[in-house]
Amino acid sequence: MSGYTSVVVVTTEEHPWENKGNSLSEIANRVEDRWNAEIDNGDNEFTMRATVDDYKVDINDRTDAETAKNEAAGYLENSNISMVYDVVLVMDDYSHDAANGYAFVGSENNPAAGTYDRGIAYCTKGDYHLAEHEVSHTYGGLHDHHDEWGSYHYTIMGNPGDKQCFEDNTTSSFRVRNNQYNNCAQQNIRSYVNEHRDKLNY
């Protein structure tokens, strides 16, 4: 079996993305490269392609990242771009007081990636680790699908204070997210792709 799932990176009308250390193209490349290195099994069964489009999303309410994500989803719901790509990653040059990223979380009974109305991830920080994290949510990645690796790192799906994969321990708040998937996240994301392959661009 071969093919690929598709992600497109766009920005917003009101706060278009400016290079904060990572351009939109660099973010797309890092999301794609990390996924293909660790989610794809080498047989092109779980391949991803990420690209950039000059499409701009109109977001009127930025009360918080979740609200902005929902606004983006409403704007994109009937757009051509959400019909073509499995996930739309919206990069917004705006800073929220709390969380700087939000995404619809895909599951067996409530898919996100591969749907025109929930395949949305929203980020405001230039760190590509956050982009990897939010995109992974749409494919079923969860916060507790992670480990603490090394002295100052935890995995892509890690979140401060959330439980580790198969453990009762939690992630320390002072650690930083590393761009690696652990086995638990890999299995869960691959399972999501297999369950919803008919909705994705495979």
Side-chain angles (χ1 to χ4, degrees):
M1 190 175 298
S2 63
Y4 58 89
T5 185
S6 59
V7 175
V8 63
V9 184
V10 300
T11 189
T12 63
E13 192 71 47
E14 301 83 2
H15 298 279
W17 187 257
E18 295 180 1
N19 192 343
K20 295 181 175 181
N22 296 114
S23 68
L24 294 180
S25 294
E26 288 171 326
I27 290 168
N29 290 339
R30 294 302 291 260
V31 169
E32 177 184 306
D33 290 348
R34 181 52 51 190
W35 174 287
N36 289 335
E38 300 188 9
I39 301 300
D40 187 31
N41 62 2
D43 295 327
N44 297 323
E45 190 174 351
F46 300 99
T47 307
M48 172 189 283
R49 290 187 185 173
T51 189
V52 176
D53 195 279
D54 59 7
Y55 187 93
K56 288 184 173 59
V57 177
D58 192 1
I59 298 176
N60 294 316
D61 188 349
R62 289 176 169 79
T63 302
D64 52 39
E66 183 177 15
T67 301
K69 178 262 298 180
N70 291 335
E71 284 268 309
Y75 187 83
L76 288 162
E77 184 172 352
N78 296 311
S79 68
N80 289 333
I81 201 165
S82 65
M83 303 290 186
V84 172
Y85 296 94
D86 294 328
V87 174
V88 180
L89 171 60
V90 181
M91 300 300 299
D92 194 20
D93 196 355
Y94 185 86
S95 181
H96 294 280
D97 292 334
N100 283 295
Y102 234 93
F104 289 101
V105 179
S107 66
E108 180 178 359
N109 297 320
N110 199 17
T115 66
Y116 67 90
D117 57 339
R118 285 174 43 84
I120 310 296
Y122 170 84
C123 293
T124 64
K125 292 178 67 176
D127 188 344
Y128 54 84
H129 299 315
L130 179 64
E132 293 167 339
H133 177 95
E134 298 303 339
V135 167
S136 298
H137 273 315
T138 68
Y139 292 91
L142 303 176
H143 285 166
D144 57 1
H145 289 166
H146 73 93
D147 295 302
E148 290 191 329
W149 287 351
S151 300
Y152 297 102
H153 296 95
Y154 54 90
T155 52
I156 285 174
M157 295 316 300
N159 210 50
D162 286 321
K163 290 183 178 182
Q164 297 182 53
C165 183
F166 306 125
E167 301 289 342
D168 291 329
N169 298 327
T170 60
T171 300
S172 301
S173 60
F174 65 86
R175 293 175 186 256
V176 296
R177 186 173 292 126
N178 198 9
N179 62 327
Q180 292 176 281
Y181 293 96
N182 68 342
N183 290 337
C184 189
Q186 289 171 333
Q187 293 171 13
N188 199 65
I189 291 171
R190 289 171 183 166
S191 178
Y192 177 92
V193 170
N194 283 329
E195 288 167 354
H196 300 293
R197 193 173 287 272
D198 60 325
K199 298 180 178 64
L200 302 168
N201 284 330
Y202 285 101

